[in-house]
Amino acid sequence: MLLEARALSVAYGDAPAVWDASLEVDEGEIVSVIGPNGAGKTTLINAIAGMMRWRSGTLHFAGEDMAGVAAHAVCGRGIALVPEGRRLFTRMSVEENLEIGCYVAKARAHRDVSLERVYTLFPILREKRTQLAGLLSGGQQQMVALGRALMARPRIVLLDEPSLGLAPSIVDDMFAIIRAIRDEGVAVLLVEQNVHKALEIADRAYVLEHGRTVASGDPATLMGQPHIREAYLGL
Amino acid sequence: MPSAVVIGQALVSGLLAGGLYGLLALGLSLSWGLLRLVNLGYFAITFLGAYLVYQLHESYGIAPWWAAMLVVPLFFCLGVAQHWVFLRFRVSELASLLVTFGLSVIVESGIQLVWTADYRRLETHYASASFKIGPLYVPVLDLAACLAAAALAWATWAWLRWTYVGKALRASAEDPDIAAAYGVDHKRLSYLLSGICAGYAGVAGAFIALISTLAPSQIWAWLGVVFAVVIIGRVGNPVGALVAGLLIGASESIAMAFLSPAWAPVVSFSALIVLLLWQPDWL
């Protein structure tokens, strides 16, 4: 198993946002986490990315315990985050944003190859590479955010609400590219409001409610459950 | 109405003085823009540097540029040590202003204790050396300070623009969490930058020792105008600091030529107020 979270709990001060969340992601699979607003999806993904510490539970990546790993060392292990709201470095150029993606020494050695790969995936970014990232359209910014993650040559990409605020046609493009990334052997952990999309693309999925994983399985099975159909799919 | 030569001379002197403003603004601007620490102590240690360069010359006859070679690395360490304290006590942006104000007062008192409140002047045979371009006199030391400021500003800009460390510092200044998620160890880089900023104070100190008369109270004389320069030049932008320095220096000097020396501070602060009200895109 590439990523394995067991009974994780994460809190902001005294307020727990996630408690008892467990999930697994294997190499080359897309795993979606769905759930209502405030269920703790972003908190969970931020904890896996090293941006938040967890109170209890365990997190293993590629067989290693991540408990003592510093925030800035997580990326080097092969975990790259595409955060909610993209969070680009808006006062830096597109290419500089991508270069931060390969800041870690291991990834930096492959800078040119990775950059070429990202520009092939998103040709528009090559055209705009000297522009300030903050001046791009929402869709282009999402491309930079995803490109930045790929520059790190990760084994898993954590995607937090990649479709948020994007036009439907661009969302389709984005999901096609997420599939392409998976097909290259990179695992994807996807948190998404758009439940239809999230289940459609996933190999497996988890349902997170009130900070705990309450259901899991392959998307077809989940879609068959009355509770899921009612609460998330409006059927 | 002053003559053309007087105005020209005022412009030259002003630009050269502005170079020194830019040099002083450099470290302050970087620390404010990239570390979110407003280091008022910067002025105090600049003068400490100036006094050290002065003393090394008086006591041991060490030339100011050799003295600077000693002072700059020493200050680098001082900057790192200060940053350790800041991190240890989690000093915030506003708190840094207060803490470093206190630090300045302590350093000022220390200087007063060691060197007294008397005016000190580093006497050298080249102190008043100058050459002539047409009818205008160009003082050599002021020109050297200006060139050093330009070289440092450009080098710093290039470092921030083209190296991974520079890019990482800029990324961290905007979003430290995301930068860390991509492997940027902000703590380590911030130590480096603090050291560099203090090192710049050492360089500025050496030039102040060469160019101006030293007194402990002088620490505060530069504060206002350099702050204006830092803000006008855009916080965190080294080349901006230099350009703003030259601009303010020149306009102060022109104001002095037309009106009277008392008007000089009015110029820099009027410029600051106008720019803050106008808020142009580049600011």
Side-chain angles (χ1 to χ4, degrees):
Chain A
M1 203 47 66
L2 185 63
L3 179 78
E4 197 173 356
R6 283 273 159 268
L8 275 192
S9 79
V10 191
Y12 296 90
D14 287 333
V18 168
W19 54 287
D20 195 17
S22 299
L23 60 79
E24 293 178 347
V25 184
D26 211 347
E27 301 196 41
E29 71 172 346
I30 298 177
V31 172
S32 289
V33 178
I34 61 169
N37 267 333
K41 303 191 295 292
T42 292
T43 307
L44 176 61
I45 221 166
N46 285 349
I48 295 170
M51 281 166 52
M52 291 189 74
R53 291 286 107 185
W54 52 92
R55 290 276 170 90
S56 62
T58 59
L59 182 68
H60 284 84
F61 183 72
E64 284 182 73
D65 188 359
M66 299 297 283
V69 179
H72 63 83
V74 169
C75 187
R77 301 291 177 100
I79 300 179
L81 173 71
V82 180
E84 184 177 6
R86 304 180 277 270
R87 290 173 72 173
L88 297 183
F89 305 111
T90 55
R91 293 189 296 264
M92 296 169 73
S93 74
V94 167
E95 191 153 300
E96 286 174 332
N97 270 273
L98 296 175
E99 283 177 318
I100 292 294
C102 66
Y103 181 78
V104 171
K106 258 192 292 179
R108 204 184 293 184
H110 301 276
R111 173 194 178 270
D112 294 346
V113 179
S114 304
L115 209 52
E116 194 51 42
R117 177 177 168 218
V118 171
Y119 286 151
T120 309
L121 220 47
F122 306 109
I124 184 77
L125 297 188
R126 192 196 300 272
E127 275 170 50
K128 307 230 166 199
R129 65 179 200 270
T130 56
Q131 273 195 22
L132 291 185
L135 301 178
L136 299 182
S137 73
Q140 291 163 356
Q141 290 198 7
Q142 191 63 57
M143 292 176 196
V144 178
L146 190 52
R148 180 174 63 182
L150 294 178
M151 291 296 289
R153 297 165 59 86
R155 297 178 69 182
I156 187 169
V157 175
L158 312 176
L159 282 161
D160 195 353
E161 305 282 2
S163 75
L164 202 69
L166 299 186
S169 67
I170 296 172
V171 172
D172 290 340
D173 294 348
M174 203 54 76
F175 275 83
I177 282 166
I178 294 168
R179 269 201 195 89
I181 291 168
R182 186 261 322 263
D183 294 342
E184 285 179 34
V186 179
V188 176
L189 179 62
L190 173 70
V191 156
E192 183 57 66
Q193 293 269 342
N194 187 333
V195 176
H196 283 279
K197 283 270 172 218
L199 291 179
E200 194 185 298
I201 196 175
D203 296 306
R204 289 186 307 108
Y206 291 86
V207 181
L208 192 70
E209 284 177 3
H210 307 298
R212 28 189 337 190
T213 37
V214 295
S216 67
D218 66 282
T221 317
L222 284 176
M223 274 192 265
Q225 291 180 8
H227 166 67
I228 308 281
R229 290 172 68 87
E230 214 173 287
Y232 299 109
L233 299 170
L235 297 173
Chain B
M1 180 76 188
S3 70
V5 174
V6 171
I7 295 173
Q9 188 62 56
L11 201 61
V12 169
S13 315
L15 284 172
L16 294 178
L20 201 52
Y21 290 163
L23 190 54
L24 270 158
L26 197 56
L28 194 66
S29 180
L30 287 177
S31 137
W32 193 353
L34 297 172
L35 301 178
R36 301 271 155 236
L37 294 170
V38 191
N39 195 348
L40 280 179
Y42 193 71
F43 298 93
I45 66 163
T46 297
F47 270 82
L48 182 62
Y51 272 101
L52 286 175
V53 168
Y54 161 81
Q55 197 59 50
L56 286 169
H57 183 265
E58 291 300 297
S59 307
Y60 308 103
I62 297 172
W65 46 89
W66 292 120
M69 301 274 178
L70 294 172
V71 168
V72 170
L74 175 74
F75 275 25
F76 181 91
C77 301
L78 212 64
V80 171
Q82 187 195 35
H83 197 60
W84 182 83
V85 175
F86 278 16
L87 287 180
R88 172 73 184 71
F89 294 101
R90 298 172 193 280
V91 175
S92 69
E93 191 170 351
L94 181 64
S96 71
L97 198 68
L98 301 173
V99 171
T100 54
F101 177 76
L103 198 71
S104 302
V105 175
I106 294 170
V107 173
E108 187 193 1
S109 309
I111 289 174
Q112 198 149 332
L113 205 69
V114 177
W115 284 284
T116 76
D118 294 344
Y119 284 93
R120 304 279 174 151
R121 176 89 197 162
L122 199 154
E123 301 289 355
T124 56
H125 62 276
Y126 47 80
S128 53
S130 65
F131 59 89
K132 246 184 137 175
I133 302 177
L136 306 176
Y137 282 96
V138 180
V140 172
L141 287 177
D142 294 62
L143 182 66
C146 200
L147 291 176
L152 277 182
W154 183 82
T156 308
W157 176 82
W159 179 62
L160 290 175
R161 181 89 178 70
W162 287 320
T163 68
Y164 272 98
V165 172
K167 287 171 199 169
L169 274 166
R170 283 156 59 210
S172 256
E174 186 166 345
D175 193 332
D177 291 341
I178 296 297
Y182 281 97
V184 176
D185 184 354
H186 180 62
K187 214 177 196 179
R188 239 171 74 184
L189 296 185
S190 65
Y191 275 119
L192 176 69
L193 191 68
S194 296
I196 288 173
C197 288
Y200 287 168
V203 176
F207 278 109
I208 285 182
L210 279 166
I211 290 167
S212 71
T213 305
L214 302 179
S217 58
Q218 288 290 306
I219 289 170
W220 308 104
W222 297 78
L223 192 135
V225 63
V226 171
F227 248 92
V229 166
V230 167
I231 293 165
I232 292 170
R234 263 178 70 189
V235 172
N237 180 345
V239 173
L242 178 71
V243 172
L246 295 175
L247 224 71
I248 293 288
S251 41
E252 275 190 355
S253 182
I254 296 285
M256 285 197 259
F258 276 91
L259 303 161
S260 80
W263 284 89
V266 177
V267 174
S268 44
F269 289 106
S270 307
L272 180 62
I273 290 165
V274 166
L275 282 168
L276 288 178
L277 288 174
W278 174 30
Q279 297 201 330
D281 288 341
W282 47 265
L283 197 67

